[in-house]
Amino acid sequence: MKLTSRKSLSRLVLRAMGIFGGVQSLQILCGVIRMKLVSLWIGPAGIGLFSIFNSAVDLVVSASQLNLRSSAVRDIAAAKSTPTVQATVVAIVRRWGWLLGMLGALVMLMASPVLSRVTFGDYSHSLQFVLLSVSVFLAAIISSEGAILQGLERYKPLALGSLWGVMGGLIVSIPLFYFARIDSIVPSILLYSLFTAGALLYFRVSDQKPDHPVTMRETIDTGRSFLMLGGYMTVAIFVEQLCNYVFISYLNIADSDSVVGYYQAGYTLVNKYVGLLFAALSMEYYPRMARVADSMMRSRVYVSHEISLIMIMLVPVATIFISASQLIVKILYSGVFVSILPFVVTAMVGMVFRGFSWCISFLVLARNSGKTYVTVECLSSLVGLIFNFVAFRYYGIDGMGVAFTLWYLVYCIMMLIVGRRMGLAISSRSLWLSGYALCAVTIQVVLYFLLPVWALITFASAASILSLILVLKLSGSRF
């Protein structure tokens, strides 16, 4: 790729990241306020119940909805050159959203007694799982409308719809938390789903109309492509969610719901707040990869470019996060949660491996290699579960960060092998920048355990300045 073209691509990616990064930051702020209120008014048990019920919903959604959100984006984006075909795909995706939503709600209703028994040891929470079937149905609507907006590159309405939904859910949940306390957990989850679905339906695409009535046979035939890929992705995500559900249920039974709360708080900090960078970049990266998946030469360029950009930007995010980790935990949760600091700090090294492998995983999806994807993801989830069991047994919550890092190291090796077999070659620039990110974050983790906070701030500042210089150079901006 020519230099000017590379710089233009960098500016495009950074613009898209700016949109979703800003909106998702506000979404995270809403989530922070929610968890802060829950931790203050309900305590660790409330966060633990949030984790349990959300994990149950995620498990059923993963099992019943064929990961429509990700699989449909590929087909919508790939049909960009033929508008009539794209409009038909949009209509079919929307129809499948409603069908799979009803299927998922039915599955949740039937599984409610089993979920209550497995999770809590009795049937006393069956009604709460029944109510959550509404969230399962709404999740399918959210997935289909979100996939349509992303595949059509309607980034602004997608971002606004998601933001309005989260803000609306927060506003009505606050009085629930205060007056109902622990009984407010399930109603709060329902309200978040309702507001998010309503907001995305408000911003739904209305200018994509097929040039003919779409029959049920066409719905099945055309939808077979993304449903098949979605089926493979569903198996992968289901196994991942199942492993997570098994582990937190183990923590709940072997120890207490408070320990589940500590684990979930640390896991959320690592994956959701630091993973914001990945989520923002993926909104533009995935549709772009889907459009060039047939060209390995262009795919190599895009994957290498994405690795370079994410490694550069991960350094300041991770090092600053480590420097301010104690303050962040106290602000987001409370002083009771400072025990999770070794977990979240050590896991930052794993985020480097996760970022590198994340860029390659989208190539696998874009090339519709469902069998390869499900094999790697299922093996990875089982490896992660084993590491979690061993680490918690011998080191408690403190060992979760090491388990997380080892998990994504193995996953990164697996993705490199898969990419090589597909013909992927990572550029030397990307490899060098990945080494830079790994060294910088590892040094900051070591400094955290050995030196005072001023040393962490100094190192984070130097690493951030260097990363800023590299980003400006990559995007062609002037100082």
Side-chain angles (χ1 to χ4, degrees), residues 8-79:
S8 176
L9 177 59
S10 297
R11 287 193 291 268
L12 174 66
V13 174
L14 290 172
R15 244 191 329 265
M17 192 194 70
I19 294 175
F20 286 100
V23 171
Q24 288 183 14
S25 295
L26 292 175
Q27 287 181 295
I28 285 178
L29 178 61
C30 292
V32 168
I33 295 173
R34 179 175 70 168
M35 287 297 101
K36 181 69 173 180
L37 294 178
V38 170
S39 65
L40 289 176
W41 292 341
I42 305 176
I47 294 177
L49 286 176
F50 254 113
S51 170
I52 290 170
F53 286 127
N54 276 318
S55 294
V57 171
D58 291 341
L59 186 64
V60 175
V61 168
S62 299
S64 64
Q65 295 178 12
L66 300 177
N67 202 22
L68 187 66
R69 178 68 174 86
S70 296
S71 61
V73 169
R74 177 188 176 276
D75 285 52
I76 295 171

Side-chain angles (χ1 to χ4, degrees), residues 228-298:
M228 186 172 293
L229 176 61
Y232 286 121
M233 297 173 70
T234 295
V235 174
I237 294 177
F238 177 77
V239 171
E240 179 185 358
Q241 296 292 344
L242 179 61
C243 288
N244 181 60
Y245 193 72
V246 167
F247 185 64
I248 63 174
S249 296
Y250 161 76
L251 292 180
N252 189 46
I253 295 173
D255 204 302
S256 67
D257 52 8
S258 295
V259 172
V260 175
Y262 289 131
Y263 169 75
Q264 191 61 34
Y267 192 81
T268 300
L269 277 174
V270 173
N271 283 276
K272 186 174 182 180
Y273 300 128
V274 181
L276 167 66
L277 175 63
F278 302 158
L281 288 172
S282 68
M283 300 306 294
E284 184 275 336
Y285 177 54
Y286 184 28
R288 174 159 49 88
M289 284 298 301
R291 291 195 297 270
V292 303
D294 293 334
S295 170
M296 180 50 70
M297 181 177 295
R298 297 180 70 185

Side-chain angles (χ1 to χ4, degrees), residues 76 85-95 148 152 205 208:
I76 295 171
V85 174
Q86 191 176 54
T88 301
V89 175
V90 166
I92 290 172
V93 169
R94 184 168 284 145
R95 181 174 292 178
I148 292 169
L152 295 174
V205 173
Q208 294 285 320

